Amino acid sequence: MLSESVFVRKGGMESKVIRVGVVGAGVVGSGTIETLLERSELLERRSGVKVELAAVAELDTERALATGASRDIIVGDYKGVTENPDIDIVVELVGGVGIAEAIVKSALENSKAVVTANKALLSEKGEGLFALAREKNAPLAFEAAVGGGIPCILAIREGLNCNNFTSLLGILNGTCNYILTEMIENGVEYAECLKEAQALGFAEADPTTDVGGFDTGHKLSLLSALAFETNVEFAKMHIEGIDKIDLRDVNYAQEHGYTVKLLAVARPVGKKLFLSVHPALLPVEHNLAGVHGSLNAVSLYGDVVQESVLVGRGAGKFPTASAVVSDIVAVARRLKYSPVTPGWVPPMESAFELGAIEDYITRYYLRFTVADKPGVIAKIATELSKAGVSIASVNQKEQHEEQGDVAVIFITHSAREGDIKKALKAIDGSDSITAETVLLRIEE
């Protein structure tokens, strides 16, 4: 139950204080705590609600104290927040799936509102947590789970809610975008860029979640559930990372008027929704092509608004804290002024079924590495034609002096991915092909 005993008198009117408990005082947790403490008057003035930091759950007391939180509100066990009858909103900022799931469940079971920045948790365990939120009629807010300081969830849920969305493209991982930007602008190989990103703190010691595309996949699943009213099983999504991107393809893409980005793509076609995370070629004039460094961006196409693009910091202490605090204030207003409702939760029934990547239709960049001898290009074109794939252009590069082979770049017209891969299976089996063929999708 919500606390009902705490009031402050201001301007002759009684105003209920909404008490907040934060679990976790790491990077985002400390940013959230500092922002709540330093901006309390600003938040009250703008929202009409007094939000009070009433508890911080953190095993490392010194780390909690470093945020400015007073010693008397620091507890070691998260249950000191989730089971505290005086706490109205529980903010989960420990990350991961294991203990975070227990924290959110405990809060919801005690009928408390929850704010989280945990995309992995909601993407992988969201079905059960949202069901519990429905059962307990408790808000579960997660603006900070996608895009850090970009209010993309708010835009979909409220700002653009009259639209049927026809496409969603996102650059949702700052680590990958930083690495690709360095490759494009400075001609640095992938491995060296990754080491630099780790040295600068953009990438973890084990970068698999980022460079493997899984972080982007978690975020895409949440955005797609919102935009397309469809429950998404994360395990069934198509996910590719940037760990196999070759500098040659980055350079060849530029020669053809494209840049390379790790994209989150959601496109409905009929009753199917195609969701994919993959490195893709974007025309240099595309609105997302100029999103550089560690920035994130989301491009939404709606049947009323046409295109809307949001760009900003996708991670970091204060950009993410900004989104967390905005959720805290939004939930606090709901608790004070409206009947307690869970706000948005995924639909019980999905509007779409997930489409198989083999049925995805787009244009393709194909780099073949072939023996430098007559007839090879004609054989490749023949196999593509047999599979029903139309060729837009062919570009043969200079001979590689050490190996005696050449790179041949094919750009296709729109084709079904299953047909492309059928042709590649036949082509790559030829003794004229000297290395695995590179396939990159072109998104326009």
Side-chain angles (χ1 to χ4, degrees):
M1 293 294 292
L2 299 177
S3 162
E4 297 181 351
S5 60
V6 183
F7 290 83
V8 295
R9 184 170 293 276
K10 185 172 183 178
M13 298 180 63
E14 288 188 342
S15 174
K16 182 178 184 301
V17 175
I18 302 298
R19 293 182 171 240
V20 177
V22 176
V23 184
V27 174
V28 177
S30 62
T32 298
I33 294 166
E34 290 172 34
T35 302
L36 285 172
L37 292 174
E38 294 173 5
R39 307 280 172 119
S40 59
E41 291 185 7
L42 173 67
L43 294 173
E44 183 178 3
R45 186 170 70 247
R46 290 184 174 175
S47 68
V49 180
K50 184 173 179 59
V51 175
E52 177 183 296
L53 179 66
V56 174
E58 171 58 57
L59 295 174
D60 187 338
T61 302
E62 293 305 313
R63 183 161 75 166
L65 288 170
T67 67
S70 59
R71 188 178 293 273
D72 62 321
I73 68 168
I74 298 172
V75 297
D77 188 342
Y78 72 82
K79 292 181 180 179
V81 173
T82 62
E83 297 180 4
N84 184 337
D86 290 330
I87 298 296
D88 302 309
I89 302 173
V90 174
V91 184
E92 181 276 308
L93 296 174
V94 302
V97 175
I99 189 64
E101 183 181 16
I103 292 166
V104 174
K105 275 187 175 180
S106 177
L108 292 174
E109 286 167 351
N110 284 279
S111 299
K112 298 186 185 299
V114 173
V115 171
T116 180
N118 198 329
K119 66 268 184 183
L121 174 66
L122 295 181
S123 178
E124 297 182 24
K125 303 291 184 179
E127 184 177 359
L129 295 176
F130 284 121
L132 183 57
R134 280 194 197 92
E135 177 189 337
K136 296 296 184 177
N137 206 34
L140 174 50
F142 52 95
E143 181 67 61
V146 182
I150 308 172
C152 48
I153 288 174
L154 180 65
I156 294 171
R157 190 177 56 206
E158 298 184 21
L160 302 173
N161 61 13
C162 70
N163 287 265
N164 291 308
F165 294 104
T166 57
S167 177
L168 184 157
L169 295 178
I171 296 171
L172 299 176
N173 185 273
T175 298
C176 291
N177 205 42
Y178 173 83
I179 290 171
L180 290 173
T181 299
E182 287 296 298
M183 293 179 74
I184 292 165
E185 295 184 352
N186 299 317
V188 182
E189 294 283 358
Y190 168 80
E192 186 177 342
C193 287
L194 175 58
K195 288 181 181 178
E196 184 178 343
Q198 289 171 320
L200 292 171
F202 290 143
E204 302 289 341
D206 179 358
T208 305
T209 299
D210 289 325
V211 301
F214 302 107
D215 175 77
T216 299
H218 287 139
K219 296 169 182 175
L220 177 61
S221 71
L222 295 177
L223 288 180
S224 299
L226 279 162
F228 301 102
E229 301 176 68
T230 296
N231 288 303
V232 177
E233 288 187 57
F234 177 75
K236 293 184 177 180
M237 291 176 59
H238 178 81
I239 296 177
E240 297 175 38
I242 65 168
D243 46 332
K244 294 182 180 179
I245 290 292
D246 192 299
L247 186 58
R248 286 174 293 176
D249 296 305
V250 170
N251 293 333
Y252 294 155
Q254 287 183 291
E255 292 177 10
H256 286 80
Y258 297 101
T259 190
V260 181
K261 297 291 183 183
L262 181 70
L263 286 187
V265 180
R267 284 206 173 96
V269 180
K271 291 294 183 180
K272 292 187 177 181
L273 178 64
F274 290 91
L275 300 179
S276 180
V277 174
H278 55 252
L281 274 59
L282 285 176
V284 292
E285 65 272 13
H286 193 284
N287 282 331
L288 298 187
V291 178
H292 300 309
S294 61
L295 289 174
N296 280 198
V298 176
S299 171
L300 293 157
Y301 288 83
D303 58 354
V304 180
V305 74
Q306 302 305 311
E307 184 181 20
S308 183
V309 181
L310 302 168
V311 181
R313 295 292 169 194
K317 179 176 180 177
F318 288 112
T320 308
S322 174
V324 173
V325 172
S326 75
D327 264 347
I328 291 171
V329 172
V331 171
R333 285 178 60 83
R334 187 181 302 145
L335 296 183
K336 179 179 177 182
Y337 294 116
S338 306
V340 179
T341 62
W344 183 89
V345 293
M348 298 295 287
E349 296 183 5
S350 293
F352 297 92
E353 61 177 289
L354 198 62
I357 193 65
E358 288 76 18
D359 293 324
Y360 189 63
I361 295 176
T362 190
R363 299 178 69 207
Y364 292 85
Y365 162 103
L366 305 171
R367 174 167 63 83
F368 299 95
T369 305
V370 304
D372 189 12
K373 58 185 181 181
V376 175
I377 293 177
K379 290 179 181 178
I380 293 173
T382 298
E383 291 297 339
L384 289 170
S385 178
K386 284 181 183 178
V389 178
S390 177
I391 301 165
S393 69
V394 180
N395 183 9
Q396 179 174 325
K397 311 307 291 184
E398 293 292 331
Q399 185 183 72
H400 191 293
E401 294 181 2
E402 295 178 3
Q403 298 168 341
D405 54 23
V406 297
V408 182
I409 312 302
F410 278 67
I411 303 292
T412 77
H413 290 295
S414 291
R416 177 179 170 273
E417 183 146 331
D419 295 334
I420 291 279
K421 290 181 176 177
K422 178 181 178 182
L424 293 187
K425 185 176 180 180
I427 293 166
D428 285 349
S430 166
D431 58 7
S432 298
I433 302 297
T434 60
E436 184 178 357
T437 298
V438 173
L439 177 154
L440 293 171
R441 299 164 190 87
I442 300 173
E443 302 292 348
E444 296 176 312

